[in-house]
Amino acid sequence: MILDTVDILIIGGGIAGLATAAALTGKARSVALLDRELVPGFYASGHNAGMARSLTGRIEHSRLAVEGRARLASEGLLEMTGGLLLAMDPANLDPLEAEARELGVEAIRAEGSGEPGLHAGAHLRMPGDGLINIHGLLGTCARRAREGGANLHYGEAVTAIHPEADGFKVETARRAFHATTLVNAAGAWASEVGRMAGGLDLDLKPMRRHLAWSDQPFAPA
């Protein structure tokens, strides 16, 4: 079995894993990534709705969202479609409007929904929100990771992880890695990877949601 030695080994080849690989190349001597599927973002990343919102209801998250949105726009990966945040009780928009003021985000408040046939007590119109080019983002991160010297291995499932005194030995059916640092970017399988690596037994639960297109106005409850 081939044994490769790397500074950082990332498990998971979706947006989180690829973005981490792209960011770490140049900062570490050697970076490698493993994913059991044959293509990047096969699961949640590739099926992401791609909504880029600036305001989240938690200021620390919104700061990251605003910074990320600006970076995506500068890379040509964001389509500025604008967005609406609706509330039946106008008071529910107060904390979001306060976030917008603090972060310097344009948010236009008005009564009603602002759209014919759509019912709400008030709304915030967000001109800077939009849609992320998800596949473009995956491709950009993968390209930059490779250009920086990272080795991306798709179609290689992790079969075993052995914690060692100076890092981890990670095995697949084809090869083994010795990594000083292991990054768990396995998404819905993060708990399983964490247990394999001898880490804390965190009961991480993937959250699912569904989006549906409708040609009729939707009235929020």
Side-chain angles (χ1 to χ4, degrees), residues 191-203:
S191 291
E192 179 182 345
V193 170
R195 285 191 290 270
M196 290 172 69
L200 296 175
D201 190 10
L202 300 177
D203 186 19

Side-chain angles (χ1 to χ4, degrees), residues 20-172:
T20 300
L24 289 177
T25 53
K27 298 181 176 65
R29 286 176 299 176
S30 53
V31 177
L33 178 147
L34 290 172
D35 193 280
R36 68 181 184 179
E37 303 301 335
L38 294 173
V39 295
F42 187 82
Y43 291 102
S45 293
H47 295 86
N48 195 297
M51 294 184 295
R53 283 179 52 184
S54 304
L55 308 180
T56 67
R58 296 185 64 174
I59 191 66
E60 62 272 23
H61 292 173
S62 296
R63 283 196 181 94
L64 291 173
V66 170
E67 181 181 344
R69 187 198 62 176
R71 180 69 178 271
L72 288 166
S74 71
E75 298 284 347
L77 295 170
L78 181 66
E79 180 185 358
M80 298 287 196
T81 61
L84 284 175
L85 300 179
L86 308 177
M88 295 306 290
D89 181 355
N92 290 336
L93 293 178
D94 292 345
L96 293 171
E97 194 173 22
E99 279 187 8
R101 286 195 299 270
E102 181 169 345
L103 298 173
V105 172
E106 184 180 10
I108 304 165
R109 182 164 180 163
E111 295 181 355
S113 72
E115 296 292 333
L118 191 61
H119 303 290
H123 71 272
L124 285 177
R125 188 173 294 275
M126 309 296 299
D129 286 0
L131 293 175
I132 302 167
N133 179 348
I134 294 298
H135 296 290
L137 177 58
L138 286 165
T140 296
C141 289
R143 185 181 71 254
R144 291 190 176 171
R146 288 192 176 100
E147 288 173 350
N151 291 314
L152 310 182
H153 302 277
Y154 282 86
E156 292 200 38
V158 173
T159 57
I161 303 175
H162 306 284
E164 299 179 343
D166 57 348
F168 298 87
K169 182 181 179 182
V170 179
E171 297 178 0
T172 74

